[in-house]
Amino acid sequence: MADNKSFAEVKNKILSAHKNAAPEDKLGFYNTWAENYEQDVAVLDYRAPLLAAECIASFFKGDKGRAIILDVACGTGLVSAHLRRMGFCQFVGVDGSEGMLDLARKTGLYQELKQCMLGQDTLPVQNESYDIVVIVGALSVGQVPVGVIRELWQATKPGGYVCMTTRGNADNQDYKKEMERMVRMMEEEKRWSRVTVNEVEKWERAVSEHESGYIPGTVYLYQRTY
Ligand SMILES: C[S@@+](CC[C@H](N)C(=O)[O-])C[C@H]1O[C@@H](n2cnc3c(N)ncnc32)[C@H](O)[C@@H]1O
């Protein structure tokens, strides 16, 4: 009963943030959500950070201790925390929300944290400098525009990996199609090659008015070729 109540509360909070929110409003929402974010996404059974980290760890063949990871839209640091437990230890984080960045800073995981409004500001990192670039929970409608994927590629060293996720539920279908068009186009341009694409049925609990149970999601792992 207590669980149901807290799920309903989290659902309402997220629904209110999705309504008519411009990207700047979204970041305002994340600023106010930051303190409760990890507790709330646990209620949603949000598994994307773990699934992305597992995907990276299972395909990365280099020295994990030396790999430099760019955690884009890092939020409070869930993705890097999972990667840390899997043996990676060098992280740089980027996010648009100062509130989220403050919490990420407190984890002590990151060598550097940078504030950036993706889609408006250029990703504030050097080209070709990361072994792994990861973005989880932020490539979706109303958040990070699809065009930013080219910047993720630019930040990656040749031979390095880009790991991305997106949701597969109804309100994100157009975004997902656009994202996959961009990913395919970059494959045709021989910028990267597909390592694996995992469609996951039980991604997180549904919060929209028209969906129930769990929504699906996808983890994409690409390797930069040049
Ligand atoms: C659902 S959270 C995911 C955080 C973390 N990657 C995780 O999986 O727990 C989405 C994050 O993306 C950030 N974000 C959303 N849109 C953004 C944008 N346009 N530029 C920068 N950050 C953005 C938010 O501030 C938030 O921290």
Side-chain angles (χ1 to χ4, degrees), residues 23-24 26-27 30-31 33 37-38 41 46 48-49 71-79 94-98 100-101 115-120 134-140 142-145 148 165:
E24 297 77 9
K26 261 280 160 56
L27 291 183
Y30 278 111
N31 280 333
W33 195 18
Y37 175 80
E38 290 193 7
V41 296
Y46 173 64
D71 184 355
V72 180
C74 62
T76 57
L78 289 177
V79 178
V94 173
D95 200 280
S97 157
E98 285 291 1
M100 296 297 248
L101 286 169
Q115 199 269 338
C116 166
M117 177 72 184
L118 296 157
Q120 283 182 20
V134 58
I135 181 165
V136 174
L139 285 169
S140 61
Q143 296 205 88
V144 175
V148 170
T165 71

Side-chain angles (χ1 to χ4, degrees), residues 2-11 14 33 36-46 204-207 214:
D3 252 356
N4 284 342
K5 186 161 171 251
S6 57
F7 176 64
E9 282 168 2
V10 175
K11 177 173 163 159
I14 293 171
W33 195 18
N36 293 313
Y37 175 80
E38 290 193 7
Q39 196 183 317
D40 288 358
V41 296
V43 172
L44 296 180
D45 200 9
Y46 173 64
E204 66 193 43
R205 291 175 78 178
V207 295
Y214 279 75

Side-chain angles (χ1 to χ4, degrees), residues 40-172:
D40 288 358
V41 296
V43 172
L44 296 180
D45 200 9
Y46 173 64
R47 299 168 59 231
L50 175 64
L51 296 170
E54 282 177 345
C55 180
I56 291 168
S58 66
F59 284 96
F60 184 79
K61 297 291 175 255
D63 179 348
K64 289 180 183 164
R66 291 175 69 111
I68 306 176
I69 297 165
L70 180 65
D71 184 355
V72 180
C74 62
T76 57
L78 289 177
V79 178
S80 292
H82 284 300
L83 287 169
R84 180 73 193 88
R85 283 190 281 277
M86 294 169 191
F88 295 93
C89 54
Q90 301 196 61
F91 304 101
V92 171
V94 173
D95 200 280
S97 157
E98 285 291 1
M100 296 297 248
L101 286 169
D102 285 345
L103 287 165
R105 202 164 288 119
K106 286 188 189 150
T107 65
L109 282 168
Y110 296 93
Q111 274 138 8
E112 229 182 316
L113 284 163
K114 302 170 193 238
Q115 199 269 338
C116 166
M117 177 72 184
L118 296 157
Q120 283 182 20
D121 313 324
T122 308
L123 187 63
V125 299
Q126 278 202 333
N127 289 348
E128 305 193 3
S129 26
Y130 293 90
D131 297 282
I132 298 162
V133 175
V134 58
I135 181 165
V136 174
L139 285 169
S140 61
V141 61
Q143 296 205 88
V144 175
V146 159
V148 170
I149 292 175
R150 284 192 185 270
E151 297 180 42
L152 306 179
W153 173 85
Q154 266 168 354
T156 312
K157 289 178 184 169
Y161 294 87
V162 181
C163 182
M164 303 169 283
T165 71
T166 200
R167 293 185 276 114
N169 64 319
D171 79 344
N172 200 48

Side-chain angles (χ1 to χ4, degrees), residues 120-226:
Q120 283 182 20
D121 313 324
T122 308
L123 187 63
V125 299
Q126 278 202 333
N127 289 348
E128 305 193 3
S129 26
Y130 293 90
D131 297 282
I132 298 162
V133 175
V134 58
I135 181 165
V136 174
L139 285 169
S140 61
V141 61
Q143 296 205 88
V144 175
V146 159
V148 170
I149 292 175
R150 284 192 185 270
E151 297 180 42
L152 306 179
W153 173 85
Q154 266 168 354
T156 312
K157 289 178 184 169
Y161 294 87
V162 181
C163 182
M164 303 169 283
T165 71
T166 200
R167 293 185 276 114
N169 64 319
D171 79 344
N172 200 48
Q173 282 306 315
D174 289 348
Y175 183 97
K176 184 172 189 248
K177 278 194 198 120
E178 197 191 338
M179 174 175 166
E180 291 183 350
R181 257 199 307 274
M182 167 70 81
V183 168
R184 246 193 333 272
M185 194 192 302
M186 290 172 62
E187 226 177 326
E188 285 161 13
E189 292 166 358
K190 309 245 181 293
R191 292 180 191 276
W192 60 17
S193 59
R194 172 181 163 142
V195 178
T196 188
V197 174
N198 301 333
E199 302 280 351
V200 180
E201 240 175 85
K202 251 181 123 178
W203 187 255
E204 66 193 43
R205 291 175 78 178
V207 295
S208 90
E209 279 122 348
H210 318 290
E211 291 163 325
S212 58
Y214 279 75
I215 61 162
T218 310
V219 182
Y220 306 82
L221 187 67
Y222 278 73
Q223 185 169 25
R224 180 172 169 160
T225 36
Y226 70 84

